[in-house]
Amino acid sequence: MSARSLDPHREVLREVGQGLALPLPHRVRILRELSYDLESLTDLLVGQGISAEEAHRRAAEALVPDRAALDQLGRLHESWYRRRTRAVTPDRLRLVERGALALATATVLAVEGLALRRVNLFGDPSPFLVPVLVAGAVLSALVLGKAFELFIKGDHARPRTGLTTILAVAGATLALGVGGTVFDLYHLAGTLERTPALAGVLTPLWLGRSAVLMVVALILSMAGALGWFVLSHWVSLAEGAHREVLGLPHPSRLPRRSDHVEAVE
Amino acid sequence: MSDQGSDDQGFDVQGFARDINELLILSSLRAGAKHGYQIALDVETDSNGLFRFQHGTLYPILHRLEEDGLIQGSWSREGGRRRKVYALTRRGEGRIQGGTDRVQTIASRLLAMLRPPGEATA
């Protein structure tokens, strides 16, 4: 049996991975390098007549970074942003980051409003247009915040956190647009039931309002969904590489709870 | 590399040890590009076991040298496995020369202090 087929280094790599508070791509590169060296050195020692177990032990002793070495690697590969903000206390940094996120939301909202005003779509808006714009601004802030966390801050402790929220807010933005259009339609129908003579005036107005509301809701929700897709795809790739180097199965290939119960029975 | 050899800054033993490790790695790469454990093995073999990298101390040094542009890391495939190979850069070659001169200066001063007066230095 080849020393590699025993694969006892995976456990060691998992421990090293847990000790590296680094962005996933950096973590993967370090673990991949270590994995190759561990396997190669083990093979070399086994080839020299040393038992596989002893070869694994010696290879791990020589190559697996201890706490001090892991700390050094952590400092070397930490993100530019973390280096720059090392002197700032975590509480203060969190406050600044949240302030920046709120500012980004307000800016997006202002830009949305100005853009609609410029093309004169605020003339007779649906009452649902402002909620859709607010949801769109929140959505943009969520996407920007997650992108900042993943690519600038390099905080990959829980990379999937917040992704579902982005998708949910994108869905809510679209739902607000559709719901608003339907609500406006019922409102129009009620008015026309009472005063059918206004049909020629109110119907084109409703069409205009609904078109604006739906277009804005669709654009914002699709942009948010696109942001979600890009971010979650990137996280999937990074997590896949991490799982591969650690020899962990894909979550979809993990045994289901029902399988486990059946096996026990 | 630190200036621990200079008189006005004093002598930093830890920095000197780190510089020695860096020089050992750089000089090992003069023979050609190598991957991590091969560098460690060669340093140990070439020094008759005097210098050994234990507990993964090799990697922070390699990555720092790479960041400083003294060595260049590149990924390749071998037997379906991905490995990282390091090669010495021109800047790294220059560092070996400068570092060697400084180590020689420090070692000479140290020996001059340790040897009895009148004994010839090597």
Side-chain angles (χ1 to χ4, degrees), chain B residues 38-51:
Chain B
Q38 190 61 53
I39 296 169
L41 274 184
D42 288 354
V43 165
E44 189 177 339
T45 307
D46 294 347
S47 66
N48 287 325
L50 181 63
F51 296 107

Side-chain angles (χ1 to χ4, degrees), chain B residues 1 7 9 22 32-35 41 45 47 51 53 61 65 78 82-83 85 90 92 109 116-117:
Chain B
M1 223 171 265
D7 291 332
Q9 290 188 15
E22 289 183 0
K34 295 171 187 173
H35 52 87
L41 274 184
T45 307
S47 66
F51 296 107
F53 290 101
I61 303 170
L65 290 172
E78 191 201 69
R82 292 177 75 179
R83 67 174 191 166
V85 176
R90 203 174 281 274
R109 286 194 204 176

Side-chain angles (χ1 to χ4, degrees), chain A:
Chain A
M1 187 186 288
S2 146
R4 203 176 306 147
S5 64
L6 291 170
D7 218 8
H9 295 312
R10 298 293 179 205
E11 195 60 40
V12 173
L13 289 174
R14 281 170 207 173
E15 283 174 24
V16 172
Q18 283 166 1
L20 283 169
L22 285 174
L24 277 171
H26 285 303
R27 215 183 305 170
V28 167
R29 281 195 283 271
I30 290 170
L31 291 173
R32 196 168 272 154
E33 181 180 7
L34 180 60
S35 172
Y36 176 85
D37 283 352
L38 276 173
E39 289 174 3
S40 300
L41 183 55
T42 303
D43 286 350
L44 183 83
L45 293 172
V46 168
Q48 289 172 354
I50 296 168
S51 72
E53 198 180 339
E54 178 62 13
H56 290 308
R57 194 193 63 75
R58 284 196 200 179
E61 188 180 83
L63 298 173
V64 174
D66 58 11
R67 189 66 257 168
L70 284 177
D71 288 345
Q72 284 180 46
L73 283 169
R75 280 196 296 277
L76 271 169
H77 293 286
E78 71 185 347
S79 65
W80 170 88
Y81 177 78
R82 282 197 184 273
R83 278 184 204 184
R84 294 281 170 202
T85 56
R86 205 183 282 160
V88 185
T89 61
D91 286 344
R92 193 176 171 80
L93 191 59
R94 201 173 302 125
L95 194 70
V96 171
E97 286 171 356
R98 284 181 183 174
L101 198 62
L103 188 66
T105 311
T107 307
V108 170
L109 194 59
V111 169
E112 285 173 344
L114 283 173
L116 288 179
R117 189 178 286 272
R118 180 164 286 189
V119 289
N120 200 24
L121 291 177
F122 264 144
D124 184 24
S126 161
F128 287 88
L129 186 58
V130 171
V132 164
L133 290 178
V134 171
V138 170
L139 186 58
S140 308
L142 286 172
V143 172
L144 286 174
K146 192 65 196 171
F148 167 78
E149 183 186 302
L150 290 177
F151 304 123
I152 296 176
K153 197 175 178 185
D155 183 359
H156 295 175
R158 282 172 294 174
R160 288 202 171 270
T161 306
L163 286 174
T164 314
T165 311
I166 291 173
L167 198 58
V169 175
T173 307
L174 186 62
L176 262 174
V178 174
T181 306
V182 172
F183 181 87
D184 284 350
L185 177 64
Y186 273 97
H187 191 253
L188 173 74
T191 310
L192 293 183
E193 206 172 50
R194 287 191 301 276
T195 47
L198 291 175
V201 180
L202 293 181
T203 308
L205 268 178
W206 172 81
L207 278 171
R209 281 178 180 180
S210 301
V212 170
L213 184 64
M214 279 308 296
V215 165
V216 171
L218 268 173
I219 289 174
L220 291 177
S221 59
M222 282 177 73
L226 184 67
W228 167 85
F229 175 77
V230 170
L231 293 172
S232 58
H233 187 63
W234 187 87
V235 169
S236 294
L237 287 176
E239 283 184 336
H242 193 232
R243 271 196 302 272
E244 183 218 322
V245 77
L246 293 182
L248 294 170
H250 190 275
S252 63
R253 290 184 204 136
L254 287 170
R256 289 171 300 170
R257 188 177 161 79
S258 55
D259 296 342
H260 178 69
V261 172
E262 281 168 22
V264 170
E265 284 171 357

